[in-house]
Short mmCIF file of all heavy atoms in Angstrom, two decimals:
data_model
loop_
_atom_site.label_atom_id
_atom_site.label_comp_id
_atom_site.label_asym_id
_atom_site.label_seq_id
_atom_site.Cartn_x
_atom_site.Cartn_y
_atom_site.Cartn_z
N GLN A 10 2.45 7.91 8.80
CA GLN A 10 2.68 8.04 10.23
C GLN A 10 1.95 6.90 10.92
O GLN A 10 0.73 6.75 10.77
CB GLN A 10 2.14 9.39 10.72
CG GLN A 10 2.27 9.58 12.22
CD GLN A 10 3.70 9.68 12.69
OE1 GLN A 10 4.52 10.34 12.06
NE2 GLN A 10 4.03 9.01 13.79
N MET A 11 2.69 6.12 11.67
CA MET A 11 2.11 4.96 12.34
C MET A 11 2.26 5.12 13.85
O MET A 11 3.38 5.23 14.35
CB MET A 11 2.81 3.68 11.87
CG MET A 11 2.77 3.49 10.36
SD MET A 11 3.40 1.89 9.84
CE MET A 11 5.12 2.02 10.34
N ASN A 12 1.15 5.14 14.53
CA ASN A 12 1.13 5.28 15.98
C ASN A 12 0.52 4.04 16.62
O ASN A 12 -0.12 3.23 15.96
CB ASN A 12 0.32 6.52 16.38
CG ASN A 12 0.88 7.79 15.78
OD1 ASN A 12 2.10 7.97 15.68
ND2 ASN A 12 0.01 8.70 15.39
N SER A 13 0.73 3.91 17.92
CA SER A 13 0.15 2.79 18.68
C SER A 13 0.45 1.46 17.99
O SER A 13 -0.44 0.63 17.80
CB SER A 13 -1.36 2.98 18.84
OG SER A 13 -1.65 4.19 19.50
N LEU A 14 1.69 1.28 17.62
CA LEU A 14 2.06 0.09 16.86
C LEU A 14 1.90 -1.17 17.70
O LEU A 14 2.11 -1.16 18.93
CB LEU A 14 3.50 0.21 16.35
CG LEU A 14 3.64 1.15 15.14
CD1 LEU A 14 5.08 1.58 14.95
CD2 LEU A 14 3.11 0.47 13.89
N LYS A 15 1.55 -2.25 17.01
CA LYS A 15 1.33 -3.55 17.64
C LYS A 15 2.27 -4.58 17.01
O LYS A 15 2.69 -4.40 15.87
CB LYS A 15 -0.12 -3.99 17.42
CG LYS A 15 -1.16 -2.99 17.88
CD LYS A 15 -2.55 -3.45 17.48
CE LYS A 15 -3.60 -2.44 17.87
NZ LYS A 15 -4.97 -2.87 17.47
N PRO A 16 2.57 -5.65 17.71
CA PRO A 16 3.42 -6.68 17.10
C PRO A 16 2.88 -7.20 15.77
O PRO A 16 3.66 -7.53 14.87
CB PRO A 16 3.44 -7.78 18.17
CG PRO A 16 3.25 -7.04 19.46
CD PRO A 16 2.29 -5.92 19.13
N GLU A 17 1.57 -7.23 15.62
CA GLU A 17 0.99 -7.70 14.36
C GLU A 17 1.17 -6.72 13.22
O GLU A 17 0.83 -7.04 12.07
CB GLU A 17 -0.50 -8.03 14.55
CG GLU A 17 -1.31 -6.94 15.19
CD GLU A 17 -1.48 -7.16 16.69
OE1 GLU A 17 -0.49 -7.51 17.36
OE2 GLU A 17 -2.62 -6.96 17.18
N ASP A 18 1.70 -5.54 13.49
CA ASP A 18 2.03 -4.60 12.42
C ASP A 18 3.38 -4.91 11.80
O ASP A 18 3.79 -4.28 10.83
CB ASP A 18 2.05 -3.16 12.96
CG ASP A 18 0.67 -2.69 13.38
OD1 ASP A 18 -0.30 -2.98 12.67
OD2 ASP A 18 0.59 -2.02 14.43
N THR A 19 4.09 -5.87 12.36
CA THR A 19 5.39 -6.26 11.83
C THR A 19 5.25 -6.79 10.41
O THR A 19 4.47 -7.70 10.15
CB THR A 19 6.03 -7.34 12.73
OG1 THR A 19 6.31 -6.78 14.01
CG2 THR A 19 7.32 -7.87 12.11
N ALA A 20 6.00 -6.19 9.49
CA ALA A 20 5.92 -6.55 8.08
C ALA A 20 6.91 -5.72 7.29
O ALA A 20 7.50 -4.77 7.83
CB ALA A 20 4.51 -6.31 7.54
N VAL A 21 7.06 -6.06 6.03
CA VAL A 21 7.75 -5.17 5.09
C VAL A 21 6.69 -4.26 4.51
O VAL A 21 5.64 -4.73 4.04
CB VAL A 21 8.45 -5.97 3.98
CG1 VAL A 21 9.10 -5.00 2.99
CG2 VAL A 21 9.50 -6.91 4.57
N TYR A 22 6.96 -2.97 4.55
CA TYR A 22 6.02 -1.97 4.05
C TYR A 22 6.50 -1.46 2.70
O TYR A 22 7.66 -1.05 2.56
CB TYR A 22 5.89 -0.83 5.04
CG TYR A 22 5.05 -1.19 6.24
CD1 TYR A 22 5.50 -2.11 7.19
CD2 TYR A 22 3.77 -0.65 6.41
CE1 TYR A 22 4.71 -2.47 8.26
CE2 TYR A 22 2.98 -0.99 7.50
CZ TYR A 22 3.46 -1.91 8.42
OH TYR A 22 2.67 -2.27 9.48
N TYR A 23 5.58 -1.47 1.74
CA TYR A 23 5.88 -1.08 0.38
C TYR A 23 5.09 0.15 -0.02
O TYR A 23 3.90 0.27 0.28
CB TYR A 23 5.52 -2.21 -0.59
CG TYR A 23 6.30 -3.48 -0.41
CD1 TYR A 23 5.83 -4.49 0.42
CD2 TYR A 23 7.51 -3.68 -1.08
CE1 TYR A 23 6.54 -5.66 0.59
CE2 TYR A 23 8.22 -4.85 -0.92
CZ TYR A 23 7.73 -5.84 -0.08
OH TYR A 23 8.44 -7.00 0.08
N CYS A 24 5.75 1.00 -0.77
CA CYS A 24 5.12 2.16 -1.37
C CYS A 24 4.80 1.82 -2.83
O CYS A 24 5.56 1.09 -3.48
CB CYS A 24 6.09 3.34 -1.30
SG CYS A 24 5.58 4.82 -2.14
N ALA A 25 3.69 2.33 -3.34
CA ALA A 25 3.29 2.01 -4.71
C ALA A 25 2.57 3.20 -5.35
O ALA A 25 1.99 4.03 -4.65
CB ALA A 25 2.37 0.79 -4.72
N VAL A 26 2.62 3.23 -6.67
CA VAL A 26 1.97 4.29 -7.45
C VAL A 26 0.83 3.69 -8.26
O VAL A 26 1.00 2.67 -8.93
CB VAL A 26 2.97 4.97 -8.42
CG1 VAL A 26 2.24 6.00 -9.29
CG2 VAL A 26 4.09 5.63 -7.66
N LYS A 27 -0.31 4.35 -8.20
CA LYS A 27 -1.47 3.95 -9.01
C LYS A 27 -1.72 5.06 -10.02
O LYS A 27 -1.96 6.20 -9.64
CB LYS A 27 -2.69 3.78 -8.10
CG LYS A 27 -3.98 3.39 -8.82
CD LYS A 27 -5.08 3.18 -7.82
CE LYS A 27 -6.43 2.91 -8.48
NZ LYS A 27 -6.39 1.71 -9.33
N THR A 28 -1.62 4.73 -11.30
CA THR A 28 -1.73 5.75 -12.34
C THR A 28 -3.13 5.85 -12.91
O THR A 28 -3.50 6.89 -13.44
CB THR A 28 -0.74 5.47 -13.47
OG1 THR A 28 -1.06 4.21 -14.07
CG2 THR A 28 0.69 5.45 -12.96
N ASP A 29 -3.90 4.79 -12.87
CA ASP A 29 -5.25 4.81 -13.44
C ASP A 29 -6.25 5.01 -12.30
O ASP A 29 -6.50 4.11 -11.51
CB ASP A 29 -5.54 3.50 -14.17
CG ASP A 29 -6.93 3.48 -14.80
OD1 ASP A 29 -7.64 4.53 -14.73
OD2 ASP A 29 -7.32 2.43 -15.35
N LEU A 30 -6.80 6.23 -12.23
CA LEU A 30 -7.76 6.54 -11.17
C LEU A 30 -9.19 6.53 -11.68
O LEU A 30 -10.08 7.05 -11.02
CB LEU A 30 -7.42 7.91 -10.57
CG LEU A 30 -5.99 8.10 -10.08
CD1 LEU A 30 -5.85 9.41 -9.32
CD2 LEU A 30 -5.52 6.94 -9.23
N GLY A 31 -9.40 5.91 -12.83
CA GLY A 31 -10.72 5.96 -13.45
C GLY A 31 -11.71 4.92 -12.98
O GLY A 31 -12.86 4.94 -13.38
N GLY A 32 -11.29 4.00 -12.13
CA GLY A 32 -12.20 2.93 -11.69
C GLY A 32 -12.94 3.29 -10.43
O GLY A 32 -13.16 4.46 -10.11
N ASN A 33 -13.31 2.25 -9.71
CA ASN A 33 -14.03 2.45 -8.45
C ASN A 33 -13.07 2.68 -7.29
O ASN A 33 -11.88 2.35 -7.38
CB ASN A 33 -14.89 1.22 -8.15
CG ASN A 33 -15.92 0.97 -9.22
OD1 ASN A 33 -16.51 1.90 -9.73
ND2 ASN A 33 -16.11 -0.30 -9.56
N ASP A 34 -13.59 3.23 -6.21
CA ASP A 34 -12.75 3.42 -5.03
C ASP A 34 -12.22 2.10 -4.51
O ASP A 34 -11.14 2.05 -3.92
CB ASP A 34 -13.54 4.11 -3.92
CG ASP A 34 -13.63 5.61 -4.14
OD1 ASP A 34 -13.01 6.11 -5.10
OD2 ASP A 34 -14.32 6.29 -3.37
N SER A 35 -12.93 1.02 -4.74
CA SER A 35 -12.48 -0.28 -4.27
C SER A 35 -11.15 -0.69 -4.91
O SER A 35 -10.42 -1.51 -4.38
CB SER A 35 -13.54 -1.35 -4.55
OG SER A 35 -13.81 -1.42 -5.94
N ASP A 36 -10.84 -0.10 -6.05
CA ASP A 36 -9.58 -0.42 -6.74
C ASP A 36 -8.36 0.01 -5.94
O ASP A 36 -7.26 -0.52 -6.13
CB ASP A 36 -9.54 0.25 -8.11
CG ASP A 36 -10.59 -0.30 -9.05
OD1 ASP A 36 -11.13 -1.40 -8.77
OD2 ASP A 36 -10.88 0.37 -10.05
N TYR A 37 -8.52 0.98 -5.06
CA TYR A 37 -7.38 1.44 -4.27
C TYR A 37 -6.91 0.39 -3.28
O TYR A 37 -5.78 0.45 -2.82
CB TYR A 37 -7.76 2.72 -3.51
CG TYR A 37 -7.88 3.91 -4.41
CD1 TYR A 37 -9.09 4.24 -5.00
CD2 TYR A 37 -6.78 4.72 -4.67
CE1 TYR A 37 -9.21 5.34 -5.83
CE2 TYR A 37 -6.89 5.82 -5.50
CZ TYR A 37 -8.10 6.12 -6.08
OH TYR A 37 -8.21 7.20 -6.90
N TYR A 38 -7.78 -0.56 -2.96
CA TYR A 38 -7.50 -1.49 -1.87
C TYR A 38 -6.82 -2.77 -2.33
O TYR A 38 -6.52 -3.64 -1.50
CB TYR A 38 -8.81 -1.85 -1.16
CG TYR A 38 -9.46 -0.65 -0.48
CD1 TYR A 38 -10.31 0.19 -1.20
CD2 TYR A 38 -9.23 -0.38 0.85
CE1 TYR A 38 -10.90 1.29 -0.59
CE2 TYR A 38 -9.83 0.71 1.47
CZ TYR A 38 -10.65 1.53 0.74
OH TYR A 38 -11.23 2.62 1.36
N THR A 39 -6.57 -2.89 -3.60
CA THR A 39 -5.95 -4.10 -4.11
C THR A 39 -4.63 -3.79 -4.80
O THR A 39 -4.52 -2.83 -5.56
CB THR A 39 -6.88 -4.83 -5.10
OG1 THR A 39 -7.16 -3.94 -6.20
CG2 THR A 39 -8.18 -5.23 -4.44
N ALA A 40 -3.66 -4.65 -4.57
CA ALA A 40 -2.32 -4.42 -5.10
C ALA A 40 -2.29 -4.44 -6.62
O ALA A 40 -1.46 -3.77 -7.24
CB ALA A 40 -1.36 -5.46 -4.54
N VAL A 41 -3.19 -5.18 -7.23
CA VAL A 41 -3.17 -5.33 -8.68
C VAL A 41 -3.40 -4.00 -9.39
O VAL A 41 -3.01 -3.83 -10.55
CB VAL A 41 -4.21 -6.37 -9.12
CG1 VAL A 41 -5.63 -5.84 -8.91
CG2 VAL A 41 -4.00 -6.81 -10.55
N GLY A 42 -3.99 -3.04 -8.71
CA GLY A 42 -4.28 -1.77 -9.34
C GLY A 42 -3.13 -0.78 -9.36
O GLY A 42 -3.25 0.31 -9.88
N TYR A 43 -1.99 -1.17 -8.80
CA TYR A 43 -0.83 -0.29 -8.70
C TYR A 43 0.24 -0.69 -9.71
O TYR A 43 0.47 -1.87 -9.93
CB TYR A 43 -0.29 -0.31 -7.27
CG TYR A 43 -1.23 0.35 -6.30
CD1 TYR A 43 -2.39 -0.30 -5.87
CD2 TYR A 43 -1.00 1.64 -5.83
CE1 TYR A 43 -3.29 0.31 -5.02
CE2 TYR A 43 -1.89 2.26 -4.96
CZ TYR A 43 -3.03 1.59 -4.57
OH TYR A 43 -3.92 2.20 -3.71
N ASP A 44 0.88 0.32 -10.27
CA ASP A 44 1.76 0.09 -11.40
C ASP A 44 3.25 0.05 -11.07
O ASP A 44 4.03 -0.60 -11.78
CB ASP A 44 1.53 1.18 -12.45
CG ASP A 44 0.06 1.26 -12.84
OD1 ASP A 44 -0.38 0.38 -13.60
OD2 ASP A 44 -0.63 2.19 -12.38
N TYR A 45 3.63 0.77 -10.05
CA TYR A 45 5.04 0.85 -9.69
C TYR A 45 5.18 0.59 -8.19
O TYR A 45 4.35 1.04 -7.40
CB TYR A 45 5.62 2.23 -10.02
CG TYR A 45 5.46 2.62 -11.46
CD1 TYR A 45 4.43 3.47 -11.86
CD2 TYR A 45 6.34 2.15 -12.43
CE1 TYR A 45 4.28 3.83 -13.18
CE2 TYR A 45 6.20 2.51 -13.76
CZ TYR A 45 5.15 3.36 -14.13
OH TYR A 45 5.00 3.70 -15.44
N TRP A 46 6.28 -0.08 -7.84
CA TRP A 46 6.50 -0.48 -6.45
C TRP A 46 7.92 -0.17 -6.02
O TRP A 46 8.86 -0.26 -6.80
CB TRP A 46 6.26 -1.99 -6.31
CG TRP A 46 4.84 -2.37 -6.49
CD1 TRP A 46 4.20 -2.61 -7.68
CD2 TRP A 46 3.86 -2.53 -5.47
NE1 TRP A 46 2.88 -2.91 -7.46
CE2 TRP A 46 2.65 -2.88 -6.11
CE3 TRP A 46 3.89 -2.43 -4.08
CZ2 TRP A 46 1.47 -3.12 -5.39
CZ3 TRP A 46 2.72 -2.67 -3.38
CH2 TRP A 46 1.54 -3.01 -4.02
N GLY A 47 8.05 0.16 -4.74
CA GLY A 47 9.36 0.30 -4.15
C GLY A 47 9.86 -1.05 -3.65
O GLY A 47 9.19 -2.07 -3.78
N GLN A 48 11.05 -1.02 -3.07
CA GLN A 48 11.69 -2.26 -2.59
C GLN A 48 11.23 -2.64 -1.20
O GLN A 48 11.45 -3.79 -0.77
CB GLN A 48 13.21 -2.09 -2.60
CG GLN A 48 13.77 -1.93 -4.00
CD GLN A 48 13.50 -3.14 -4.87
OE1 GLN A 48 13.77 -4.29 -4.49
NE2 GLN A 48 12.91 -2.92 -6.05
N GLY A 49 10.62 -1.73 -0.50
CA GLY A 49 10.11 -2.03 0.82
C GLY A 49 11.04 -1.65 1.95
O GLY A 49 12.26 -1.53 1.76
N THR A 50 10.46 -1.45 3.12
CA THR A 50 11.23 -1.16 4.33
C THR A 50 10.64 -2.00 5.46
O THR A 50 9.42 -2.10 5.61
CB THR A 50 11.20 0.35 4.66
OG1 THR A 50 12.04 0.61 5.78
CG2 THR A 50 9.80 0.86 4.97
N GLN A 51 11.53 -2.59 6.25
CA GLN A 51 11.10 -3.51 7.30
C GLN A 51 10.66 -2.74 8.54
O GLN A 51 11.38 -1.86 9.02
CB GLN A 51 12.24 -4.46 7.67
CG GLN A 51 11.93 -5.39 8.83
CD GLN A 51 10.91 -6.46 8.47
OE1 GLN A 51 11.02 -7.09 7.42
NE2 GLN A 51 9.93 -6.68 9.34
#
């Protein structure tokens, strides 16, 4: 849910699945930690 949208929020938004949850919380913030990706929505 995205509220108070700004022009700088303009982008393609991707959904992703992270299967390995055994690392640090910082791993959630990087794309490399995700295994599956959708095609995106503008």
Side-chain angles (χ1 to χ4, degrees):
Q10 177 67 43
M11 304 187 295
N12 301 322
S13 302
L14 284 162
K15 306 174 182 180
E17 52 263 44
D18 293 319
T19 295
V21 177
Y22 284 70
Y23 297 91
C24 174
V26 176
K27 179 177 174 60
T28 62
D29 181 4
L30 306 189
N33 299 321
D34 280 355
S35 59
D36 295 343
Y37 288 90
Y38 296 85
T39 59
V41 70
Y43 291 76
D44 305 285
Y45 304 99
W46 292 84
Q48 294 299 309
T50 184
Q51 175 71 46

